Amino acid sequence: MSEEVTSHRSKKHESWEWIKALVIAIALAFLIRTFLFAPFIVQGESMETTLHNNEKLVVNKAIYYLRDPKPGEIIVFHADEERDYIKRVIAVEGDTVEMKDDQLFVNGEVVDEPYLERKEERARAKGERNFTHDFPPVTVPEGHLFVMGDNRLNSEDSRVIGPIEESAVVGRAEFTFWPISEFRMTR
């Protein structure tokens, strides 16, 4: 066999290996994005001061294959066919939620919300008295979640759109990665 034929076969084999590697990489990227993790861009100020407009974060899509969302977690969900929202889980199916005098109650007990401290301090410094408008008791239906934004006076959440279906949940926000100077866990 001539050296030229061997060289041609070697180049053909190398090309085939590159094509296989590229196909595998694309398939892995597709599987990871579809079932495990996905990027998300925060749009709007409804989660201030926890998350900021235009921050980019990673959403863990796999966690809710293993268990249900829990109160306090920040989730991304399909608000409708065109938009995804990011909000905090306040209550799960069967829970009763109520807001009175800036106090959140779930099943009649006051909920500690340490993630609101900075927002409340800023609001009070501006002379704002109520951080969250009162609303009467709402019982979360089966298969649903009650969600609210951390910026309670500027959030379209379950107080407006009602409890959301668990099936609409995309995943849990894990960490912000952009801007790089703001890299942090989102819990």
Side-chain angles (χ1 to χ4, degrees):
M1 201 179 298
S2 75
E3 196 173 298
E4 193 174 298
V5 172
T6 304
S7 174
H8 178 71
R9 284 184 181 166
S10 176
K11 286 180 182 177
K12 192 174 181 181
H13 179 72
E14 184 178 341
S15 295
W16 176 243
E17 291 301 316
W18 276 103
I19 290 170
K20 285 193 314 189
L22 185 59
V23 167
I24 290 169
I26 290 170
L28 283 173
F30 174 78
L31 290 171
I32 288 169
R33 177 130 161 66
T34 302
F35 298 107
L36 301 177
F37 299 99
F40 181 79
I41 299 174
V42 177
Q43 295 178 340
E45 300 172 350
S46 72
M47 286 300 293
E48 291 279 350
T49 59
T50 306
L51 298 171
H52 309 285
N53 190 36
N54 292 322
E55 280 187 319
K56 293 174 178 63
L57 51 89
V58 170
V59 174
N60 179 343
K61 297 171 91 173
I63 191 162
Y64 298 134
Y65 293 124
L66 305 173
R67 65 168 182 80
D68 293 332
K70 295 180 181 177
E73 294 180 334
I74 298 173
I75 63 168
V76 172
F77 63 94
H78 301 303
D80 57 39
E81 290 182 17
E82 298 169 9
R83 297 177 300 170
D84 288 342
Y85 281 179
I86 185 163
K87 305 292 179 195
R88 188 176 299 276
V89 176
I90 300 300
V92 297
E93 67 179 53
D95 289 343
T96 300
V97 184
E98 178 179 15
M99 182 66 71
K100 282 192 294 192
D101 299 324
D102 263 353
Q103 285 286 289
L104 177 64
F105 294 86
V106 175
N107 299 326
E109 296 185 23
V110 174
V111 175
D112 182 36
E113 298 184 282
Y115 43 83
L116 296 181
E117 288 173 359
R118 287 188 302 160
K119 187 68 180 166
E120 289 173 340
E121 287 170 10
R122 289 181 185 175
R124 288 192 176 91
K126 291 179 184 178
E128 297 171 1
R129 291 181 16 184
N130 286 343
F131 182 64
T132 308
H133 298 297
D134 290 354
F135 60 87
V138 175
T139 300
V140 183
E142 185 177 329
H144 287 72
L145 303 168
F146 193 94
V147 298
M148 292 172 65
D150 289 356
N151 187 357
R152 301 286 168 78
L153 295 176
N154 186 17
S155 177
E156 186 174 310
D157 50 39
S158 289
R159 296 170 295 166
V160 176
I161 63 174
I164 64 157
E165 291 183 23
E166 275 192 54
S167 62
V169 175
V170 174
R172 180 176 75 185
E174 292 295 334
F175 60 88
T176 62
F177 67 89
W178 194 262
I180 201 97
S181 62
E182 296 295 319
F183 179 90
R184 68 191 180 285
M185 301 306 285
T186 57
R187 294 183 190 106

